[in-house]
C-alpha cells in the first residue's frame, strides 16, 4: 500500500515523466515513509529543474516549524482530521506562495495520513540535496579538543575517502566519556576507535571468561 501511494504521489507531481518511465533517481537511498516522499519530490523537482527552488521552500517551512511548535503539535495530533490538516497546510503554503510541487507534496501527505512525518520528510529531502551537491557529512567525536596540527592531519586522511567532485562537511564534537581515541561517522560509515569502547570490549571478554 505504501509503495502504491508513493507511486501515485510521483504521478501527481510529474505524470508525463511517470508514463514515460523517466523518473530521476535520487542520489542516495533513504528508507522509510519519509524517504519515499522525499525521493518522489526530488524526482519531480529534478525533472522540472526546480530542485533549488523547492529546497528553499522546504528550508523556509522547516524554519517555521522550529519556531512554531503549536503548528508541529497540530500536524502530529492524531485526533485532528486529515481534511482539516490538509486545508491548514495548503492555506499556509499558498500564503507563502510556494510552488505547486511543494503544495502537492504536503497535500498528498495530509490525505494519506502522513503529515505527521513532515519534519522527517524535510530532513530527508535536505539529505538528498546535500548528496546531490556531492557533500559528504562527517562527524568526529574526540575525548578532548584536537590541536590544529592533529585536526589538519585527520582531515587530510578523511578526505582520502572522498570521490572526485565530493566535498567534506566536517563537524567536530567533544565527549569526555570516550576517555581517549575517537568516533568517526563519514557518510554511512561508522568507526569507533574510542578507549571507552575498547574498555567495554575487554570488560565483556573478562565477564564471559569468569
Amino acid at each position: 500500500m505504501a509503495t502504491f501511494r508513493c507511486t501515485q504521489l510521483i504521478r501527481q507531481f510529474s505524470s508525463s515523466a511517470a508514463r514515460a518511465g523517466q523518473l530521476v533517481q535520487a542520489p542516495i537511498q533513504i528508507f522509510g515513509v519519509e524517504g519515499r516522499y522525499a525521493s518522489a519530490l526530488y524526482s519531480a523537482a529534478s525533472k522540472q529543474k526546480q530542485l533549488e527552488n523547492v529546497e528553499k521552500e522546504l528550508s523556509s517551512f522547516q524554519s517555521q516549524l522550529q519556531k512554531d511548535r503549536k503548528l508541529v503539535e497540530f500536524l502530529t495530533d492524531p485526533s485532528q482530521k486529515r481534511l482539516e490538516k490538509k486545508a491548514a497546510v495548503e492555506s499556509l503554503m499558498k500564503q507563502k506562495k510556494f510552488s505547486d510541487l511543494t503544495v502537492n507534496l504536503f497535500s498528498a501527505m495530509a490525505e494519506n495520513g502522513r503529515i505527521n512525518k513532515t519534519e522527517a520528510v524535510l530532513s530527508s529531502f535536505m539529505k538528498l540535496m546535500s548528496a546531490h551537491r556531492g557533500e559528504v557529512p562527517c562527524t568526529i567525536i574526540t575525548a578532548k579538543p584536537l590541536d590544529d596540527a592533529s585536526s589538519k592531519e585527520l582531515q587530510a586522511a578523511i578526505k582520502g575517502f572522498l570521490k572526485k567532485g565530493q566535498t567534506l562537511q566536517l563537524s567536530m564534537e567533544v565527549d569526555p566519556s570516550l576517555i581517549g581515541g575517537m568516533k568517526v561517522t563519514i557518510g554511512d560509515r561508522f568507526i569507533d576507535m574510542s578507549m571507552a569502547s575498547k574498555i567495554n570490549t575487554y570488560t565483556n571478554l573478562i565477564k564471559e571468561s569468569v
Side-chain angles (χ1 to χ4, degrees):
M1 180 60 73
T3 302
F4 173 76
R5 287 175 176 171
C6 185
T7 302
Q8 291 297 98
L9 176 62
I10 295 173
R11 287 175 178 171
Q12 181 178 348
F13 287 156
S14 185
S15 58
S16 60
R19 286 193 297 270
Q22 300 173 341
L23 296 175
V24 177
Q25 188 72 28
I28 58 174
Q29 186 173 6
I30 300 180
F31 298 96
V33 173
E34 59 271 23
R36 289 193 290 271
Y37 277 102
S39 296
L41 178 60
Y42 177 90
S43 178
S46 181
K47 288 295 298 181
Q48 297 186 26
K49 302 185 185 303
Q50 291 291 319
L51 279 175
E52 287 72 21
N53 181 54
V54 168
E55 182 183 26
K56 289 180 181 178
E57 293 176 347
L58 296 194
S59 180
S60 174
F61 189 36
Q62 192 173 49
S63 296
Q64 178 161 356
L65 290 178
Q66 291 172 351
K67 298 175 183 177
D68 190 350
R69 299 314 297 177
K70 288 185 177 180
L71 176 57
V72 175
E73 292 173 3
F74 172 75
L75 296 178
T76 56
D77 184 355
S79 68
Q80 299 292 337
K81 295 181 180 179
R82 293 184 183 184
L83 291 179
E84 292 178 353
K85 290 182 179 181
K86 179 183 176 182
V89 169
E90 288 182 345
S91 176
L92 173 62
M93 293 191 171
K94 287 178 181 178
Q95 287 178 15
K96 289 179 170 290
K97 297 182 179 180
F98 282 172
S99 65
D100 288 342
L101 283 168
T102 300
V103 174
N104 289 342
L105 169 74
F106 291 101
S107 178
M109 286 174 60
E111 282 188 4
N112 293 333
R114 299 295 192 180
I115 200 66
N116 61 324
K117 295 286 186 179
T118 293
E119 291 182 295
V121 171
L122 292 173
S123 177
S124 295
F125 188 83
M126 297 309 171
K127 289 179 181 178
L128 292 178
M129 288 302 296
S130 180
H132 169 75
R133 288 188 288 266
E135 298 170 352
V136 179
C138 177
T139 301
I140 300 175
I141 305 176
T142 55
K144 60 182 181 179
L146 299 177
D147 56 42
D148 290 341
S150 297
S151 179
K152 290 180 181 179
E153 183 178 354
L154 181 58
Q155 289 184 50
I158 291 176
K159 287 181 179 178
F161 288 97
L162 302 182
K163 298 177 182 178
K164 185 177 180 180
Q166 292 182 327
T167 57
L168 188 66
Q169 300 293 306
L170 183 63
S171 174
M172 303 285 290
E173 300 177 13
V174 175
D175 182 0
S177 69
L178 298 185
I179 303 176
M182 67 184 69
K183 291 182 178 180
V184 180
T185 302
I186 178 169
D188 57 358
R189 304 177 185 176
F190 174 72
I191 306 171
D192 188 346
M193 300 178 287
S194 67
M195 184 62 69
S197 176
K198 292 180 180 179
I199 291 175
N200 287 335
T201 299
Y202 297 147
T203 299
N204 290 332
L205 289 174
I206 292 173
K207 288 180 179 179
E208 290 175 2
S209 63
V210 174

